[in-house]
Amino acid sequence: MYQMEELLPLVGHLTAKYTSNESTSVTYETAQRLMEAVLYCIRETEQGGEAAMSPVPAESRSAAQTYELGQQMVLQKVQKLRKLYHHMLGEFQDYGMKSLDEVVRKGIPEFLRRYDVRFSPQETWLTLDYPILLEHGDLSGIDEVLLYLQCLVWEQRFLDAFDSTYVTEILREWNAGYEEMYENICSIVLLNTMGHLLLQKPLQERGYTGAEYERMENLWRGRSQEELEQILRKLLKGWIASAYHNDQRLLYYLYNETGNAAARICNALYNHCLNRIFIL
Amino acid sequence: MGIVKTKEMDQGKLLEVLNDQAQIRKLQETNCYAEHYGLTLTEEDTKLLVEERRQALHRTRRVEFGGGILPQIVMTFCDSQYITQDSYVDILTRLQEIFYTYKNEIRDEITDDELLAFMKEQYETICCGDLEYLESTCLELFAQAIRAGYDTYQLTGGEGIYENMDLVKRWERELYMEALRELFWG
């Protein structure tokens, strides 16, 4: 989009600020990092949404103008993250899972404290150990953390429909030492719930009988993984419509797990151990 | 000097040429001050220094934006008693290399002014114009001290601190003069 001769003065200007005008040179690594900072902000404007913030159309903007606009967008995202985090924290539950607790109660505040919009907007600073259902490795900085937190908000919404004791019982049946696990809570609870939905069995009726396992085997045996996934998606869609006011964003977030769920069911069918995934 | 621009010259190369021209111009301007001390740079000298600058930056893996450090090195050292017109370009070249090297060694924890102030003070006093001693002893000790957490140089701007880290016992000036008087005048 912009040529090097337009970007270098921006990096030079940023470097001067970085060194407080007290150094005429920096290492290659520092210069690279500052160049990435400039590019990160410029790329922010390519994601859309900047039209409302700038009266100057994209094709007429200089690199400096685009960079300034991108920085403003990054700042806005930080404010959005802060707001989302504080809203979520009020009723946040970690269900005993340490990795989730660490990232929410320590990781996100640390990110908000350390995040450097000006000199390192591309840095994520966190390892985000608790896995979410979306790939986010190609994102970085505020984009990655904001998406990550949004996913956690969706997960909390999903899990809120269940009694917290029920959730922890499922997790404990899944793995007695689940607190130390690095697995997504929703994936386990969702999978268990699919059994109820398939059998049209109320969630309040806990546990599965031998006959129910057999019925599920008969319903699913012979189906391909892709077919299983389609069945799961249909069940999920109906359930989200009734139990979550048809929250489409939650639905599409959980759709990311249906492939994995179908694979697990196929595996359990093959090994005759549906009781390992349909627990309560 | 006009800008030579051909179809084959890519943007990066053009930027380099423009930057070099700016550097040469800035260096030539230092002659106004340095000539008071009998030191001048010809056009050839400045081209050589700019080329040396590029190579030194490449060797030390550093990037300069803007004016660069050479004009400041000239302004700081041109009044040195140890620099003559014959040695001027060579010494500037070495000082530049030493400067970049020790900005790395000190991990950029020191400003340009502080480092130059330290270098000048040691060059004129302890080193007596010996660049090898400046680089391998004074600056080496200074860098070690800073890496270990020493930060008093920030209060003094890099001056008057070497005695805190000098490993060599040296004469204090007053004591030295007194010793001389006793030796020669009883």
Side-chain angles (χ1 to χ4, degrees), chain A residues 3-5 8-9 11-13 15 22-31, chain B residues 11 15 57-58 61-65 68-69 72 100 103-104 108 110-112:
Chain A
Q3 301 299 318
M4 197 51 77
E5 72 261 20
L8 280 178
V11 180
H13 189 60
T15 305
E22 290 176 339
S23 277
T24 48
S25 61
V26 292
T27 60
Y28 277 3
E29 289 75 23
T30 300
Chain B
Q11 287 171 344
L15 278 173
L57 283 169
H58 181 69
R61 292 177 55 82
R62 294 187 71 83
V63 173
E64 265 185 349
F65 292 93
I69 197 63
Q72 263 179 279
Y100 292 140
K103 283 288 278 191
N104 281 344
D108 285 303
I110 190 169
T111 68
D112 287 358

Side-chain angles (χ1 to χ4, degrees), chain B residues 7-30:
Chain B
K7 282 183 183 173
E8 294 78 38
M9 188 179 285
D10 63 25
Q11 287 171 344
K13 195 73 185 152
L14 177 60
L15 278 173
E16 218 172 82
V17 167
L18 288 172
N19 197 17
D20 283 356
Q21 287 174 349
Q23 291 285 323
I24 289 168
R25 213 167 30 247
K26 281 192 160 51
L27 269 178
Q28 290 275 288
E29 285 167 10
T30 64

Side-chain angles (χ1 to χ4, degrees), chain B residues 61-107:
Chain B
R61 292 177 55 82
R62 294 187 71 83
V63 173
E64 265 185 349
F65 292 93
I69 197 63
L70 257 176
Q72 263 179 279
I73 292 177
V74 168
M75 301 302 270
T76 304
F77 282 85
C78 66
D79 64 351
S80 169
Q81 58 182 313
Y82 297 107
I83 300 178
T84 63
Q85 180 62 43
D86 289 339
S87 60
Y88 191 28
V89 173
D90 287 342
I91 290 175
L92 286 179
T93 304
R94 284 281 287 128
L95 283 170
Q96 180 178 239
E97 175 100 34
I98 290 169
F99 178 85
Y100 292 140
T101 301
Y102 276 90
K103 283 288 278 191
N104 281 344
E105 289 293 320
I106 299 171
R107 298 178 202 149

Side-chain angles (χ1 to χ4, degrees), chain B residues 81-160:
Chain B
Q81 58 182 313
Y82 297 107
I83 300 178
T84 63
Q85 180 62 43
D86 289 339
S87 60
Y88 191 28
V89 173
D90 287 342
I91 290 175
L92 286 179
T93 304
R94 284 281 287 128
L95 283 170
Q96 180 178 239
E97 175 100 34
I98 290 169
F99 178 85
Y100 292 140
T101 301
Y102 276 90
K103 283 288 278 191
N104 281 344
E105 289 293 320
I106 299 171
R107 298 178 202 149
D108 285 303
E109 289 180 31
I110 190 169
T111 68
D112 287 358
D113 288 347
E114 285 163 346
L115 182 55
L116 282 178
F118 180 84
M119 285 170 66
K120 175 68 188 301
E121 186 183 59
Q122 304 318 309
Y123 183 72
E124 292 300 302
T125 56
I126 303 288
C127 304
C128 299
D130 183 341
L131 286 170
E132 182 58 36
Y133 196 85
L134 174 67
E135 182 177 14
S136 61
T137 304
C138 297
L139 279 167
E140 185 56 41
L141 284 171
F142 188 44
Q144 280 180 29
I146 291 177
R147 287 196 298 265
Y150 176 74
D151 61 4
T152 307
Y153 66 89
Q154 292 174 1
L155 299 172
T156 67
E159 291 173 335

